[in-house]
Amino acid sequence: MSIGSKLYYFDEIDSTNEFAKKIIGEAKDGTVILADTQTAGKGRLERTWYSPEGGIYMSIILFTDKPLMIPILASVAICETFYNNYDILLGIKWPNDLLLNDKKVAGILVEMVDLAIIMGLGINLNIAEFPEELQNTASSIFLETRKKLDKMMVVNDLFREIEKVYQLLQKGETGEILQKWRHYTIMFGKKVIIETPTGTISGKVIDIAGNGALVLSLPEGRIEKVLAGDCRIIKENKASL
Ligand code: BTN
């Protein structure tokens, strides 16, 4: 297995995750679908993903028996790519967002088809402007740092960093991946409201569990682990992001 040893490249596609679903039957571990733009980029929770020229839109097909770790793996690999190679420190917002100066610059959409995992990564690299409705919450690496990075170099760095973390996962060294996640996250100590599939929960973030669940301390002192949901961080009495 090597990330990107089989690569499908498109200048334009509807969605790299949707293309991955079409080829998954014959795909090998580490197959990558990469596009310059998407006409129907998908975000989490049925949202759309703004996908103009300048961003990185990539899906990677993985075969692992630890699917719950994939969002953690992807967040860590994106952070390591920008920190190790470009000295840019991104923050991980649970479950799937990467922030720079409090704005979202990358997102992760993980989908499962039978035993295969499609790890979709959207990175706002060199995007120079966003539609008005996204401007408060979204940004790009370029807008936040004024550095225009070479896209294919970043893609290659990503392949290398994903491969390193994926090897840790396949060897069962999840503790090391979680340590890296703890290093990059901005969640600890924050008060959050999480809309889960079974209801809303609110508390203070104290850790990440071995299965990728966020560990919350609730006002009444109870500890609760949340596996999935839409998370808002409460700031100075108002909700943000
Ligand atoms: C999110 O934060 O809501 C997740 C965004 C994921 C976007 C990426 S871009 C490449 C891949 N193909 C898609 O249609 N979506 C993911």
Side-chain angles (χ1 to χ4, degrees):
M1 172 287 311
S2 161
I3 303 292
S5 57
K6 173 82 182 163
L7 174 74
Y8 294 81
Y9 165 74
F10 299 90
D11 47 8
E12 182 182 283
I13 198 169
D14 52 355
S15 152
T16 56
N17 268 35
E18 289 307 308
F19 183 83
K21 286 177 197 165
K22 292 182 197 148
I23 57 150
I24 210 150
E26 65 262 25
K28 290 207 217 60
D29 195 31
T31 297
V32 171
I33 303 100
L34 178 69
D36 284 340
T37 60
Q38 296 182 119
T39 53
K42 293 193 318 171
R44 290 177 65 238
L45 309 168
E46 311 293 316
R47 293 174 186 141
T48 56
W49 185 255
Y50 180 57
S51 307
E53 198 85 42
I56 295 175
Y57 313 107
M58 177 193 287
S59 300
I60 305 180
I61 298 173
L62 299 173
F63 295 93
T64 170
D65 56 1
K66 302 178 192 82
L68 292 177
M69 282 297 290
I70 295 297
I72 310 261
L73 175 155
S75 316
V76 166
I78 294 173
C79 286
E80 297 263 269
T81 297
F82 285 98
Y83 190 66
N84 293 345
N85 301 286
Y86 304 99
D87 222 7
I88 297 170
L89 181 62
L90 305 184
I92 301 174
K93 174 174 174 275
W94 184 90
N96 289 16
D97 296 350
L98 286 311
L99 307 184
L100 187 51
N101 300 336
D102 268 349
K103 290 195 170 173
K104 178 161 168 172
V105 292
I108 299 155
L109 174 66
V110 178
E111 298 187 271
M112 271 191 86
V113 179
D114 301 327
L115 291 177
I117 287 154
I118 299 167
M119 182 173 89
L121 312 180
I123 302 177
N124 302 337
L125 189 72
N126 292 324
I127 300 174
E129 71 181 330
F130 285 82
E132 212 176 305
E133 66 275 16
L134 293 179
Q135 283 174 10
N136 282 338
T137 52
S139 189
S140 69
I141 305 281
F142 167 68
L143 287 173
E144 297 306 312
T145 64
R146 289 286 145 192
K147 286 186 197 163
K148 219 165 215 166
L149 304 180
D150 181 306
K151 191 160 83 173
M152 285 322 289
M153 268 175 67
V154 176
V155 166
N156 272 311
D157 296 331
L158 264 170
F159 288 172
R160 209 178 45 250
E161 299 294 350
I162 292 168
E163 193 154 323
K164 279 194 225 162
V165 193
Y166 190 49
Q167 273 171 15
L168 289 176
L169 183 73
Q170 297 299 59
K171 283 193 282 178
E173 291 172 23
T174 51
E176 197 168 323
I177 305 174
L178 289 165
Q179 262 322 101
K180 287 178 188 284
W181 191 94
R182 290 185 182 101
H183 171 72
Y184 286 113
T185 192
I186 50 114
M187 300 301 294
F188 292 147
K190 299 267 164 64
K191 286 189 185 152
V192 294
I193 301 179
I194 305 178
E195 313 281 349
T196 78
T198 52
T200 304
I201 186 162
S202 170
K204 195 187 214 181
V205 180
I206 54 171
D207 201 5
I208 183 102
N211 61 357
L214 200 65
V215 186
L216 300 185
S217 153
L218 304 196
E220 67 268 25
R222 207 153 43 86
I223 303 293
E224 191 80 39
K225 291 182 184 169
V226 186
L227 256 178
D230 201 26
C231 174
R232 276 179 302 148
I233 297 173
I234 311 300
K235 270 194 204 157
E236 295 151 21
N237 300 327
K238 63 179 181 355
S240 77
L241 272 177

